[in-house]
Amino acid sequence: MRVPLSWLREYVDLPAGVTGRDLATKLVRAGLEVETVEQLGADLKGPLVVGKVLAIEELTEFKKPIRYCQVDVGDANGTGEPQNIVCGARNFAVGDKVVVVLPGAVLPGPFPIAARQTYGHTSEGMICSARELGMGDDHDGIIVLPPEFEPGTDAIELLELVDEVLDIAVTADRGYCLSVRGVARETAIAYGLPLSDPALLDVPPANSYGPLVKVLDPVGCDRFVARSVIGLEPDAVSPLWLQRRIQKAGMRSISLAVDITNYVMLELGQPLHAYDRHRIDGAITVRRAEAGEKLRTLDGVERVLDAEDLLICDDAGPIGLAGVMGGAGTEIAEPVVDPETGRVTGTTEVVIEAAHFAPVSVARSARRHKLPSEAAKRFERGVDPEAAKAAAQRAVDLLVLVAGGTAEAGVTDIAAAHPVHSITISADHPDRVAGQEYGRETVVRRLQEVGCTVVGGDVLVVTPPSWRPDLTDPNDLAEEVIRLEGYEELPSTLPQVPAGRGLTDAQRLRRRTGIALAGAGYVEVLNYPFLGEAALDALGLDADDPRRKTVVLANPISEEEPALRTTLLPGLLAALRRNTGRGATDVALFEQGLVFRVDGAADTLYRAPRLPVDRRPTDEEIAQLNAALPRQPLRVATVLAGSVEPDGWWGKGRAATWADAVESARTVAAAAGVELTVRQDQYAPWHPGRCAAFYVGDRLVGHAGELHPRVIKALHLPERTCAMELDVDLLTADGAERVEGPKISTFPVATQDVALVVAAEVPAAEVEAALRAGAGPLLESLRLFDVYTGEQLAEGRKSLAYALRFRAPDRTLTADEASAARGAAIAEAVARTGAALRG
């Protein structure tokens, strides 16, 4: 909403020194969003005057038409002699009044004006267009003024070129501020000044001889006021002051009747529509559209109507889309001059419509037909239904004043019953909401300032004004008090956290996991939880793979990714590809997030019950709602490519391998206090010979390894890209266990190495488990440091070398004790896995 400061001053007597920026500061403190304060004419300097064209000489020797004009500017040039001005515009004639800028003046830009030689003549100034004066973008021709202004009159004051315009972003709940009246009310409150309400007009009561109106849908239209004005001068034009005001407010001048309806809408916030009465066939009727009906709107487009559209009709059919846009069939006719008689014909009788339409109905129609009109913008935010009578009266008064018309005595006012909505609120409720004491007197005063009627003592009964449909409960009223007293006055207090409420176990685990992976060199990313079939195809998943069973969204952001993810890998691999594509050669990423898994048939989803709004859902209804949702396990995944240790003066670096992906899984498991068992597996999208499966007991919790070459090629990833994905819910399914800190012994360690030869298919994890079981309590740690296969071993055999560290908490171990523990470990490994001691 663009609001000129000069217009506001008509309704609020602001001190002379108040600027637009001062007012903007006050309004922002009151909760309005003032985006800019435009300084109109800030760099404009006169003399800029009214001139009368005395003579025009056409200069035809140039490529384009040029005119050499003599213009009377009165005494503005100091001599009283006519000014000689060269001009290229052709929309004026001898005797017309124009706007002339004289040498020494400065136009917006800044653009200084001086006498200059052009087209073989001296041009002593310039005849101005609207764009040159900063009045708009119209540059097709110069401004032709009404004939009543005398040459030499100051055009800066006449055209109100110097002003300040506040551009306010009005939120959906503050629809009353889409009017000068609403902003003036906020201004008056901000400065503690009285408001001259432009809606306080003497309006005659409704009678039976006004324009005939039938409202067949009182829900969609609960107020309809109609007035008639006859005897209008068809060639009457909008006065300059009216044109300038609607121009400053961001609208263009069209015709007198349309300009007046727009002016009143801007002034009072009530959209109006003017019909040519001679084009209305019978009674005006408000009803819903019928199937197949069509309407040609004022923009010249024929629209097929929907059954939900609310229409304004006459006996011949639709004449307007209620609250959105009028129809072309009843628009105000352009004046036509008969070249022979000079007689002007056009609209001489007008019917003014001032109605109140249901916000939802108007909003849906505007969006359905893609017609975001100024009227629809106001109706969908809420219009004061009591302003309809005053708005119609204001439009009638202006038509009579400017166009020489006569207001007919008939007044039509059809109004549905409006129950009075009152809110009961404790007088200290705003105090408790704000955390500071205002007192009853302040609360009552502030609520009365916004237009509420307030009665009561400690408990107040508040009736909001008709222009504030957003005030519906005690907290709305508390907000009004708080914003008018000033948000900046609220004390800064920290919230009191109840004792014993911290992070949940799941939140702590998620933080530990993130910290552990970040410490291992991984960078966290957050991806959208959407995927498409193309991503699953690129991963090489089988047709019956459970990860292909997805939940498809009804309104996806992208048609290429219409489903919810069943694995974290597509998003992570896409992030890896983007980073490597932008020159990052060594990348390690991780993500923690939910996936959405359909365990049964996909059609069992979406069968959620429709929950009631008048009561709390029952436990059974909540259970049905939860049953209709997909399972959403928490997962963590890593991807890495390039080097994990860079080259340098210290030597060669080390490229990332499947072992690093496996180690990232162990990092996550350590953060969860869980020990993983690693086994070889074949599982898409991993390389069949470089894929590890992770188990907790007999429970499969995830996979890691190097991606399949076909997947790397399909996704354009670096060679030997590795990845890991774990199901955190399965990882911690056994519940939280108490984690005991390590026991530190001050006694020396005894280190024993052992190399065991086993069959190639025996997992190293089984050998390790056997060694741990046999070594007993003296074993402090066990580490696999070498795996060998070669000529020295029989085919199908491998050698696993382990370093065993033994230590007692209370004594120094003897060589015999360490050897005995080593021997027991070897014996258990031999018994369980068929191992043989190498060498």
Side-chain angles (χ1 to χ4, degrees):
M1 177 68 189
R2 290 171 54 86
V3 183
L5 182 60
S6 59
W7 199 350
L8 275 177
R9 287 184 181 275
E10 282 199 5
Y11 311 130
V12 184
D13 188 15
L14 292 171
V18 172
T19 66
R21 296 190 184 279
D22 297 335
L23 176 56
T25 301
K26 289 275 191 180
L27 294 179
V28 168
R29 286 176 179 171
L32 292 182
E33 298 180 24
V34 182
E35 295 189 331
T36 59
V37 179
E38 185 177 351
Q39 308 286 331
L40 300 183
D43 51 359
L44 177 64
K45 177 184 175 184
L48 185 74
V49 298
V50 175
K52 180 179 180 180
V53 181
L54 301 178
I56 298 176
E57 179 186 349
E58 302 287 348
L59 306 180
T60 59
E61 64 268 28
F62 302 102
K63 291 182 179 180
K64 63 178 182 178
I66 298 297
R67 311 172 99 185
Y68 186 55
C69 310
Q70 284 190 329
V71 185
D72 178 13
V73 294
D75 295 330
N77 57 3
T79 65
E81 296 295 323
Q83 294 288 112
N84 297 313
I85 300 175
V86 175
C87 183
R90 309 191 62 79
N91 66 317
F92 64 97
V94 173
D96 282 346
K97 301 291 179 66
V98 294
V99 179
V100 178
V101 59
L102 300 178
V106 179
L107 291 181
F111 181 57
I113 302 298
R116 63 191 181 97
Q117 195 73 16
T118 180
Y119 295 103
H121 294 77
T122 300
S123 183
E124 304 167 337
M126 187 168 70
I127 303 175
C128 300
S129 70
R131 190 168 72 179
E132 290 162 346
L133 296 178
M135 294 171 57
D137 295 329
D138 186 6
H139 199 56
D140 294 336
I142 57 92
I143 300 171
V144 178
L145 299 172
E148 63 265 22
F149 300 113
E150 292 297 323
T153 303
D154 185 0
I156 295 178
E157 182 178 350
L158 178 68
L159 297 175
E160 301 178 14
L161 296 178
V162 179
D163 203 349
E164 295 181 89
V165 179
L166 284 74
D167 193 350
I168 303 174
V170 179
T171 53
D173 61 333
R174 306 288 285 276
Y176 68 98
C177 284
L178 285 171
S179 68
V180 180
R181 178 196 184 199
V183 178
R185 183 178 298 279
E186 292 295 325
T187 302
I189 296 172
Y191 281 92
L193 297 172
L195 170 70
S196 298
D197 192 345
L200 296 180
L201 302 175
D202 291 331
V203 181
N207 50 51
S208 59
Y209 41 92
L212 186 58
V213 176
K214 300 176 183 177
V215 178
L216 304 183
D217 191 336
V219 175
C221 175
D222 56 11
R223 189 73 178 266
F224 198 107
V225 176
R227 301 286 299 275
S228 296
V229 181
I230 62 174
L232 300 175
E233 298 173 6
D235 57 347
V237 296
S238 301
L240 280 176
W241 64 267
L242 193 150
Q243 292 185 43
R244 288 296 293 137
R245 284 196 170 175
I246 63 176
Q247 285 171 358
K248 292 176 189 178
M251 304 182 76
R252 62 187 181 90
S253 177
I254 299 174
S255 65
L256 176 60
V258 176
D259 288 352
I260 286 176
T261 57
N262 286 337
Y263 177 85
V264 175
M265 177 184 69
L266 292 169
E267 182 180 51
L268 301 181
Q270 169 66 55
L272 303 176
H273 190 70
Y275 301 94
D276 186 329
R277 188 160 79 168
H278 292 301
R279 296 186 174 190
I280 298 176
D281 184 5
I284 295 175
T285 305
V286 183
R287 61 171 175 82
R288 296 287 173 177
E290 297 176 359
E293 279 192 296
K294 296 181 179 180
L295 168 67
R296 184 175 296 277
T297 46
L298 287 172
D299 57 358
V301 177
E302 187 173 69
R303 304 181 184 277
V304 178
L305 302 174
D306 188 91
E308 288 190 8
D309 289 332
L310 190 65
L311 301 180
I312 311 297
C313 307
D314 62 7
D315 291 350
I319 60 174
L321 193 57
V324 181
M325 185 175 287
T330 56
E331 69 176 320
I332 304 300
E334 292 286 340
V336 178
V337 181
D338 189 321
E340 296 182 0
T341 64
R343 182 171 177 269
V344 180
T345 58
T347 298
T348 58
E349 297 185 6
V350 168
V351 175
I352 298 294
E353 166 206 302
H356 184 262
F357 302 110
V360 173
S361 176
V362 173
R364 287 177 176 172
S365 291
R367 285 158 178 74
R368 186 180 299 117
H369 297 286
K370 297 180 175 60
L371 275 176
S373 65
E374 289 292 327
K377 182 167 67 174
R378 285 163 173 79
F379 276 122
E380 66 187 19
R381 284 167 172 77
V383 169
D384 180 6
E386 297 301 320
K389 293 190 296 182
Q393 183 65 46
R394 180 75 165 129
V396 167
D397 292 344
L398 288 172
L399 284 170
V400 171
L401 174 67
V402 177
T406 301
E408 287 195 330
V411 177
T412 299
D413 185 0
I414 300 175
H418 276 89
V420 177
H421 171 61
S422 295
I423 305 169
T424 301
I425 177 176
S426 173
D428 64 349
H429 182 68
D431 300 6
R432 289 184 279 110
V433 171
Q436 74 173 40
E437 186 176 349
Y438 295 121
R440 178 188 179 281
E441 185 176 330
T442 299
V443 171
V444 171
R445 174 172 57 85
R446 289 303 190 182
L447 292 178
Q448 289 175 338
E449 285 177 345
V450 300
C452 296
T453 301
V454 184
V455 296
D458 293 338
V459 177
L460 305 177
V461 178
V462 182
T463 304
S466 56
W467 60 83
R468 294 299 303 272
D470 58 303
L471 302 181
T472 59
D473 60 55
N475 287 328
D476 293 332
L477 302 179
E479 182 183 359
E480 292 298 299
V481 176
I482 294 168
R483 75 174 181 87
L484 295 179
E485 284 295 303
Y487 291 119
E488 70 277 7
E489 300 299 327
L490 293 177
S492 297
T493 56
L494 292 175
Q496 298 295 321
V497 180
R501 292 188 181 181
L503 298 177
T504 65
D505 291 339
Q507 290 170 330
R508 290 193 183 94
L509 173 59
R510 189 161 182 163
R511 287 195 178 185
R512 286 200 307 272
T513 301
I515 293 171
L517 288 173
Y522 292 84
V523 177
E524 185 172 17
V525 297
L526 296 174
N527 294 302
Y528 286 118
F530 310 119
L531 55 72
E533 284 294 324
L536 300 176
D537 293 339
L539 292 180
L541 304 187
D542 294 336
D544 59 349
D545 193 300
R547 288 170 289 179
R548 282 191 176 274
K549 196 175 294 185
T550 59
V551 178
V552 179
L553 300 173
N555 55 341
I557 294 178
S558 169
E559 293 298 332
E560 296 178 357
E561 294 181 326
L564 292 173
R565 66 188 178 191
T566 56
T567 169
L568 298 179
L569 292 181
L572 265 178
L573 294 174
L576 175 69
R577 181 177 65 248
R578 283 193 297 272
N579 281 273
T580 55
R582 287 163 173 75
T585 56
D586 306 324
V587 183
L589 307 175
F590 82 93
E591 181 177 11
Q592 299 185 79
L594 302 178
V595 299
F596 304 85
R597 304 300 291 266
V598 182
D599 295 326
D603 57 4
T604 60
L605 296 175
Y606 319 123
R607 296 180 181 176
R610 188 179 295 274
L611 299 181
V613 296
D614 57 341
R615 60 173 175 81
R616 184 188 184 281
T618 64
D619 293 342
E620 182 181 356
E621 289 170 335
I622 294 175
Q624 291 174 353
L625 187 65
N626 290 332
L629 299 175
R631 186 168 58 86
Q632 301 174 45
L634 175 65
R635 294 205 164 193
V636 59
T638 62
V639 295
L640 63 163
S643 298
V644 292
E645 295 177 6
D647 296 334
W649 58 265
W650 52 84
K652 294 281 291 180
R654 184 174 68 82
T657 67
W658 59 269
D660 296 291
V662 171
E663 187 59 29
S664 70
R666 288 198 173 102
T667 300
V668 175
V674 176
E675 187 172 344
L676 292 177
T677 300
V678 184
R679 299 175 186 169
Q680 189 174 1
D681 199 358
Q682 294 185 15
Y683 190 68
W686 284 277
H687 190 296
R690 296 167 188 162
C691 174
F694 302 111
Y695 289 84
V696 176
D698 294 331
R699 188 170 60 250
L700 177 65
V701 297
H703 291 85
E706 183 181 313
L707 294 180
H708 197 289
R710 284 198 296 268
V711 175
I712 291 175
K713 182 178 179 181
L715 294 176
H716 307 287
L717 299 172
E719 291 184 1
R720 301 204 176 267
T721 296
C722 301
M724 178 276 295
E725 185 172 18
L726 281 178
D727 190 318
V728 179
D729 290 349
L730 290 177
L731 187 71
T732 59
D734 294 331
E737 295 183 5
R738 172 172 290 184
V739 178
E740 295 185 2
K743 296 177 181 179
I744 307 299
S745 174
T746 59
F747 295 95
V749 65
T751 303
Q752 299 274 349
D753 292 345
V754 60
L756 301 175
V757 178
V758 296
E761 63 271 12
V762 175
E766 290 187 12
V767 178
E768 180 179 332
L771 290 172
R772 287 185 182 278
L778 294 179
L779 181 66
E780 182 179 82
S781 66
L782 181 152
R783 178 174 61 88
L784 174 67
F785 67 86
D786 183 56
V787 178
Y788 174 77
T789 57
E791 296 179 356
Q792 298 181 21
L793 299 177
E795 185 177 354
R797 307 287 285 178
K798 63 183 178 181
S799 171
L800 303 176
Y802 292 90
L804 288 75
R805 292 167 57 92
F806 299 99
R807 191 187 329 240
D810 56 350
R811 69 188 186 280
T812 299
L813 292 178
T814 64
D816 291 341
E817 288 178 309
S819 297
R822 174 181 180 271
I826 294 172
E828 186 66 20
V830 170
R832 288 193 186 185
T833 66
L837 190 64
R838 183 179 174 188

